[in-house]
Amino acid sequence: MNEHDHEEQQPTAAALRASHAARAESAAARAAALSRHVERHGPDHADAVWKAAHAARVAAQALAVLSESAPDPAADSRCARNAAASAAQAAQMGQLVDADSELAALAVQSALKASQAAAVAAGARHLGTDADLNAAADAAEKAAVGAAEGAGWIRPGEDVPRVATGVRSPEVMSMMHL
């Protein structure tokens, strides 16, 4: 294999964007569904409702930033990582209002694994370009969706609630490493 053949096997920035965007969109949808779940089932948990709504907003911001920029595997993977981390925070709020049910605990573990896999894929060493790490992050996201469905947080076929991104402050953008 010569150097030219190796370059042809590397995914393009556009192909990597599609992968990162799909993962970010899935995580943002999980966060939005969880926010709605927490709001409906946690009226006695005002703090959890606020945290889940905030997590959904941050995930929506990450998705918006990804869609508004030029393809950049490093930045795109950070957006997917941020959406997954926000969805994991929302999952923890879901577990809280579900009184630590076993299915909720499994869904939180799965959400944390998805967040960790997205973080590894976005890590400084590979910057969102490693096919194996991206595949692992995709698989972890798919598992997190399945676990959220199992916990009753997501209903297949149900419309994803729209989440306003709110104001993107410089502090939030810096925190998201964008």
Side-chain angles (χ1 to χ4, degrees), residues 126-164:
H126 300 286
L127 300 173
T129 61
D130 185 278
D132 292 335
L133 295 177
N134 288 332
D138 290 345
E141 177 59 31
K142 185 175 181 178
V145 169
E149 288 173 353
W153 296 341
I154 297 175
R155 293 181 182 88
E158 187 175 64
D159 289 336
V160 175
R162 298 199 66 60
V163 175

Side-chain angles (χ1 to χ4, degrees), residues 50-71:
W50 184 88
K51 286 180 180 179
H54 179 69
R57 244 185 332 274
V58 171
Q61 287 178 0
L63 187 58
V65 166
L66 191 151
S67 68
E68 294 167 358
S69 61

Side-chain angles (χ1 to χ4, degrees), residues 57 60-68 165-173 176:
R57 244 185 332 274
Q61 287 178 0
L63 187 58
V65 166
L66 191 151
S67 68
E68 294 167 358
T165 59
V167 176
R168 286 187 246 163
S169 70
E171 293 80 14
V172 169
M173 298 305 282
M176 293 170 56

